[in-house]
Amino acid sequence: MNIEYLEKPIREIELLSIPVEEGKQKIVKELCGIKPGKEFQGKEGETYFFPLAKGKIKRFFFIGLGKKPTPEEYRKAGGLGVKRAEILKLESCCFMVPKEQYSTEKICTTEEGAILGSFRFDRYKTKKEKETKKIKKIGFICRKKDLAELRICKITAEAQNYSREINYYPANEMTPRKLAVFAERMAKKEGLKFSLYTKGEMKKKGMGGVLAVSAGSAQEPVMIRLEYKGRGGKHIILVGKGITFDSGGISIKPSRGMDSMKYDKTGAVNTIAIMKAVANLKLPIKVTAIIPASENMPDGNATKPGDIITMYNKKTVEVLNTDAEGRLILADGVALAAEKKPDLIITMATLTGAAFAVLGTHGIPMLSTKKEYSKMMYESGIKTYERVWELPMWKEYSEMVKGEMADLKNIGSEQGYAGTITAGLFIKEFAGKNEFMHLDIATVDLMENSNEYLSKGPSGKGVRLVVEFLRRLSKR
Ligand code: BES
Ligand code: ZN
Ligand code: ZN
């Protein structure tokens, strides 16, 4: 997206969108010479369109925000402004936050909403939609001193769009190897180090978790690594779940909704997108991404319920349900991460259906071994509106994944109870003495319906959250 920052509306503007707080509607009169009546007072949900402007600005679109709006309301206004421009088949649009409302955060969140709202994916449509047009350029009228922050928000929102883009590819195209190709392409472009373990190498290393999950698939699994080394700072390793399709394996899932399991790679694509943002932002911190990628399929070679496998760190696991595959591939990834002794390991995964019972679709369940980090992640969630909520890691939950015949089992006893916690604690068994944090994004990876700035489909939620967290960490 072509983004432009202006101090004043100096050139011709096709559409100027203006978020208006309740009671501050006099801006309409100032700009258009018309005082709106009851129909527009800046209340939440109200809009006022003025198409007949005479000067440089051709059209105005006022978006009501209600009283004391949160930054999220400005994100929504950003999305609504772009949508209106598209309906009008314009190629560009511009945003202005009125002087008496203006703040750095407000113009930045408007920008986020506009960039996220402009995302379209129509790769597989042979006839491109004629009704709406893709916006090519978005302008923001802003203070000079906000340019640095606006640039950061642009990079981060574009990274989120990048995650949405590559997540859209269905499993027949996005195989584990293809995911590696995408990661490599991004790494080359952004100057990151890229490396990979093939199936053969994982066999030699004894990565039994990834091998067990991929056993029933015709597609070879991979373990992808991306490395970013900013100057100084802490070392964080992100481990993302890259299941390019989760059929459940022998413990097969019901047909209904199974297609959405092509998005079981969201942890992986988010991780790739986060690395892209980190490189662009040149954060003074060291970040490594480890991405185990595999399909989970049933066939004659597939892992069976009851099989016992040996993981990369030599722990043994009873596979009691082949649909609990995410934790098996992540366990090998985390064990590999643990060898590097980083300051923190963060796993991101569409891990459990149980997460829906915990927070619905409005939050991301989090586990963390360190209060300082969970607090920082919580605050990053508030800031980005990708909110997290910490769950306990009591020892009774760890006991629920202790195996009977082997060290561990891949589902908790008392099946169905505390599934999100036991899944995270299973993975923690592979983190050694390292600090560990886990984000279960199962409920936020996919938009079932569009909202003001995110369309239906993969959401990319979790990208802005972790980038914000890494920014905060790099400031310490
Ligand atoms: N990928 C699923 C979790 C999931 C479910 C993500 C719904 C997004 C939406 C995961 O691999 C899985 O199947 N988990 C099982 C674990 C159970 C067998 C212990 C689940 O949650 O049912
Ligand atoms: Zn599964
Ligand atoms: Zn899965």
Side-chain angles (χ1 to χ4, degrees):
M1 180 60 67
N2 190 347
I3 302 286
E4 186 175 47
Y5 301 114
L6 307 160
E7 276 181 77
K8 284 197 186 89
I10 34 163
R11 46 158 199 80
E12 187 167 294
I13 288 173
E14 292 188 294
L15 173 72
L16 186 64
S17 289
I18 301 155
V20 182
E21 299 185 5
E22 189 171 339
K24 297 190 174 159
Q25 66 273 32
K26 74 173 199 296
I27 184 79
V28 182
K29 175 96 194 291
E30 279 171 38
L31 292 170
C32 307
I34 281 182
K35 204 173 159 214
K38 278 221 166 72
E39 75 270 32
F40 188 78
Q41 297 172 337
K43 287 194 177 134
E44 200 182 329
E46 286 178 351
T47 57
Y48 190 80
F49 183 49
F50 189 78
L52 301 165
K54 289 205 182 73
K56 271 197 205 107
I57 302 164
K58 300 295 166 209
R59 302 164 193 87
F60 289 93
F61 184 47
F62 299 91
I63 303 160
L65 301 177
K67 278 195 184 120
K68 294 214 172 112
T70 61
E72 179 67 359
E73 301 305 323
Y74 279 87
R75 264 182 218 108
K76 290 180 188 169
L80 290 172
V82 167
K83 266 190 196 163
R84 173 56 62 130
E86 281 186 341
I87 292 167
L88 295 166
K89 299 188 179 131
L90 304 175
E91 293 211 328
S92 69
C93 62
C94 193
F95 288 88
M96 181 178 92
V97 175
K99 252 203 199 95
E100 58 193 73
Q101 289 171 212
Y102 191 96
S103 75
T104 308
E105 190 173 36
K106 288 173 182 177
I107 190 73
C108 286
T109 45
T110 305
E111 182 191 38
E112 284 174 3
I115 293 175
L116 294 169
S118 70
F119 173 82
R120 291 288 169 277
F121 185 87
D122 57 7
R123 192 183 146 81
Y124 296 108
K125 293 265 193 213
T126 52
K127 276 196 199 125
K128 304 291 172 202
E129 286 198 25
K130 292 205 180 78
E131 296 311 305
T132 58
K133 217 171 181 180
K134 256 192 191 170
I135 296 291
K136 296 204 175 97
K137 189 165 163 183
I138 310 176
F140 297 93
I141 296 173
C142 60
R143 295 184 304 211
K144 227 184 187 153
K145 69 170 191 150
D146 293 331
L147 287 177
E149 195 63 27
L150 280 159
R151 201 190 127 259
I152 291 167
C153 291
K154 170 180 186 279
I155 288 173
T156 315
E158 284 183 338
Q160 180 169 350
N161 282 350
Y162 171 72
S163 163
R164 294 160 82 190
E165 161 92 28
I166 59 176
N167 211 356
Y168 254 111
Y169 287 78
N172 58 331
E173 274 209 51
M174 191 62 94
T175 60
R177 276 219 161 259
K178 189 71 169 286
L179 188 63
V181 170
F182 273 81
E184 185 172 22
R185 214 179 281 158
M186 184 283 287
K188 273 218 176 99
K189 186 159 171 248
E190 310 297 348
L192 298 173
K193 198 174 154 207
F194 168 90
S195 57
L196 172 133
Y197 289 145
T198 59
K199 181 180 175 185
E201 285 160 331
M202 284 193 275
K203 259 190 185 156
K204 276 188 205 140
K205 290 189 172 293
M207 295 184 161
V210 183
L211 293 168
V213 172
S214 66
S217 168
Q219 301 296 334
E220 295 222 337
V222 287
M223 182 75 83
I224 305 165
R225 263 175 312 161
L226 296 168
E227 289 166 62
Y228 167 81
K229 203 168 184 305
R231 55 190 156 75
K234 289 198 154 71
H235 181 200
I236 311 301
I237 303 189
L238 307 171
V239 185
K241 172 178 173 181
I243 293 290
T244 56
F245 189 73
D246 182 10
S247 71
I250 297 296
S251 316
I252 200 156
K253 285 183 183 294
S255 309
R256 212 188 130 120
M258 202 201 269
D259 60 296
S260 69
M261 283 299 129
K262 63 182 169 183
Y263 301 125
D264 212 18
K265 59 185 181 302
T266 306
V269 298
N270 274 358
T271 301
I272 296 169
I274 292 162
M275 293 304 282
K276 182 178 166 71
V278 166
N280 272 311
L281 294 172
K282 299 195 168 57
L283 294 184
I285 189 175
K286 192 177 164 197
V287 190
T288 305
I290 294 182
I291 299 166
S294 169
E295 267 186 352
N296 185 24
M297 297 291 279
D299 88 345
N301 296 310
T303 298
K304 299 164 286 294
D307 286 0
I308 296 176
I309 59 174
T310 304
M311 312 293 278
Y312 180 51
N313 73 347
K314 300 285 183 277
K315 286 194 183 182
T316 55
V317 176
E318 283 177 78
V319 182
L320 296 182
N321 188 320
T322 64
D323 198 12
E325 83 298 340
R327 66 197 76 182
L328 297 176
I329 66 165
L330 288 166
D332 279 347
V334 166
L336 183 65
E339 291 178 345
K340 312 264 185 264
K341 298 198 169 30
D343 294 288
L344 174 64
I345 298 171
I346 305 176
T347 51
M348 189 185 270
T350 47
L351 205 65
T352 62
F356 285 91
V358 184
L359 297 175
T361 57
H362 301 296
I364 301 171
M366 163 178 70
L367 298 181
S368 171
T369 54
K370 196 167 169 151
K371 204 77 221 157
E372 184 197 343
Y373 291 144
S374 52
K375 185 166 174 280
M376 202 186 279
M377 191 62 86
Y378 174 79
E379 285 162 1
S380 304
I382 298 296
K383 170 95 183 164
T384 56
Y385 213 65
E386 295 182 343
R387 297 162 296 181
V388 302
W389 194 260
E390 190 172 2
L391 300 180
M393 299 209 297
W394 299 323
K395 74 172 191 319
E396 286 82 355
Y397 296 118
S398 290
E399 275 151 26
M400 287 165 74
V401 292
K402 293 274 176 286
E404 275 156 44
M405 295 176 66
D407 300 334
L408 296 163
K409 56 177 183 265
N410 79 331
I411 53 171
S413 30
E414 302 176 67
Q415 247 217 70
Y417 284 10
T420 301
I421 301 176
T422 54
L425 286 175
F426 176 93
I427 301 168
K428 183 182 165 286
E429 292 291 325
F430 298 82
K433 292 200 168 68
N434 299 284
E435 299 296 348
F436 171 75
M437 187 185 260
H438 169 62
L439 300 169
D440 192 334
I441 55 168
T443 68
V444 298
D445 64 323
L446 190 60
M447 300 290 291
E448 293 287 352
N449 295 297
S450 63
N451 69 15
E452 288 81 349
Y453 64 90
L454 287 175
S455 49
K456 191 175 165 178
S459 70
K461 282 184 186 174
V463 173
R464 285 186 298 114
L465 169 72
V466 173
V467 173
E468 177 66 26
F469 175 82
L470 294 172
R471 271 186 76 196
R472 283 171 191 236
L473 203 66
S474 67
K475 282 182 196 151
R476 290 260 166 134

